[in-house]
Amino acid sequence: MSSDAAAAATAAVPSIPRDDDGPVFRAPWEAHAFAMVLTLHDRGVFTWPEWAVALADEIKRAQAAGDPDTGETYYLHWLATLEGLVARKGVASMDTLSRYRDAWNHAADRTPHGKPIELRPEDFCGIA
């Protein structure tokens, strides 16, 4: 992820957790989700204003459902927004996203701590 792209994203979406050096992440998956959004934006799947509105809507829905808005769940909302936009734009269906999420969880369960997680065909077995 380029620093220019990260700077553009943090300028366009002011709610992104950051410090003086740019976006900050509590876990690697948050950085990966951030990078996926940058990539899809760069490929023209959505604009920054479109992303900001979708993310704000997702956060409002979560708060209405009881999210305490402590900042710890920010990237969960980011990921939910990403999945929703990807599905609405026809990049992938929610069923496909769910199938891959389940396969990823299966792969993570069988992977020893500290080793890279790799999806294998058997990770999709038994997944509808």
Side-chain angles (χ1 to χ4, degrees):
M1 148 177 49
S2 78
S3 59
D4 289 343
T10 56
V13 185
S15 62
I16 294 173
R18 69 186 99 205
D19 62 16
D20 292 339
D21 295 325
V24 294
F25 309 101
R26 295 167 25 103
W29 74 265
E30 295 177 347
H32 290 256
F34 183 83
M36 284 189 279
V37 168
L38 292 183
T39 299
L40 291 172
H41 169 266
D42 287 347
R43 293 184 180 175
V45 174
F46 48 77
T47 65
W48 283 130
E50 184 179 14
W51 172 261
V53 167
L55 179 60
D57 289 347
E58 179 61 35
I59 291 170
K60 285 177 194 170
R61 274 191 298 279
Q63 289 171 345
D67 185 284
D69 194 23
T70 61
E72 294 177 4
T73 56
Y74 180 81
Y75 280 104
L76 291 174
H77 306 314
W78 185 276
L79 183 58
T81 303
L82 173 61
E83 290 176 341
L85 270 178
V86 163
R88 284 192 299 278
K89 297 288 187 166
V91 176
S93 70
M94 288 303 281
D95 287 342
T96 298
L97 293 170
S98 179
R99 185 171 179 257
Y100 273 86
R101 184 183 316 109
D102 292 345
W104 184 261
N105 288 337
H106 183 263
D109 288 344
R110 68 164 165 71
T111 303
H113 181 72
K115 299 291 184 183
I117 298 171
E118 297 177 8
L119 285 177
R120 298 179 186 159
E122 62 265 25
D123 294 320
F124 292 90
C125 293
I127 298 173

